[in-house]
Amino acid sequence: YFASVDFLDEMLGDFLAILERDGLLDNTVIIYTSDHGELCGEHGLFWKNTWHEASARVPLIVSTPEQRCGEQAAQKIAAPVSLADLFPTLCGLAQAPQPEGLDGIDLSDAVRGDICAELAARPGIITESVVPRWGAGTEFRMLRNARYKYVAFRGCEDLAFDLANDPNEQINLL
């Protein structure tokens, strides 16, 4: 695992060095994210596709040319966002028209340090895994906001966690 992380770090460093060498970083937005995390022994599990924070919570790092040259301060957004927000956000950052009917929201204002009204009004993020990978009943739907997480299973008891007071998801509030 650590060798894979080291290899990815080296590849990204090489790629960014080429972009810089060729003068392409001046107008390039860089986004680093993933479609899932990976459990590496947390909760006694070694896999992905679970509702646990180590699997469901992934990085979303946006680096704009204005941030890299110091014209704009970097921002940290504490509210949960969705991978569905990527395309609308890229449209916003590129000042391109956004197609109708997208599920995500444009976070480009938040990236630039402005208030994003849609993000503030969002009640939470939905994550679902409805394929019974490990048999019937292992499917789940999860609703998460900045503080709480609710997980519903088919045929099993639901779970709820206060992530502010229980970040390791040990105490089921239900």
Side-chain angles (χ1 to χ4, degrees):
Y1 177 81
F2 292 116
S4 295
V5 171
D6 185 57
F7 179 64
L8 177 63
D9 181 59
E10 183 176 338
M11 286 178 37
L12 288 175
D14 291 348
F15 179 65
L16 292 173
I18 290 169
L19 289 175
E20 184 173 27
R21 179 196 71 199
D22 294 347
L24 299 172
L25 276 180
D26 297 341
N27 67 349
T28 300
V29 173
I30 298 167
I31 295 181
Y32 177 84
T33 191
S34 176
D35 63 334
H36 61 79
E38 192 75 30
L39 290 165
C40 293
E42 300 90 342
H43 304 281
L45 301 171
F46 289 88
W47 193 241
K48 57 185 180 183
N49 300 95
T50 78
W51 48 267
H52 297 93
E53 283 294 283
S55 178
R57 185 178 182 158
V58 298
L60 176 59
I61 301 169
V62 180
S63 174
T64 67
E66 296 80 14
Q67 291 167 335
R68 290 191 300 276
C69 74
E71 292 175 13
Q72 185 180 75
Q75 305 298 318
K76 181 176 181 180
I77 301 169
V81 299
S82 169
L83 292 177
D85 300 331
L86 282 177
F87 185 66
T89 301
L90 285 169
C91 288
L93 291 169
Q95 299 177 346
Q98 204 177 118
E100 295 291 324
L102 296 177
D103 289 332
I105 62 174
D106 177 3
L107 302 172
S108 62
D109 286 343
V111 170
R112 293 183 183 110
D114 297 327
I115 295 173
C116 181
E118 284 182 290
L119 182 59
R122 182 186 267 172
I125 297 293
I126 296 170
T127 300
E128 58 185 3
S129 180
V130 294
V131 176
R133 277 193 172 86
W134 302 283
T138 61
E139 312 92 336
F140 68 88
R141 286 193 166 98
M142 177 182 76
L143 176 63
R144 187 190 189 293
N145 65 19
R147 181 169 179 174
Y148 295 101
K149 177 190 284 190
Y150 172 76
V151 187
F153 299 92
R154 182 164 49 111
C156 297
E157 289 186 30
D158 296 345
L159 302 171
F161 300 98
D162 177 347
L163 298 172
N165 293 316
D166 181 21
N168 295 319
E169 302 165 299
Q170 298 296 305
I171 302 166
N172 183 1
L173 298 174
L174 302 177

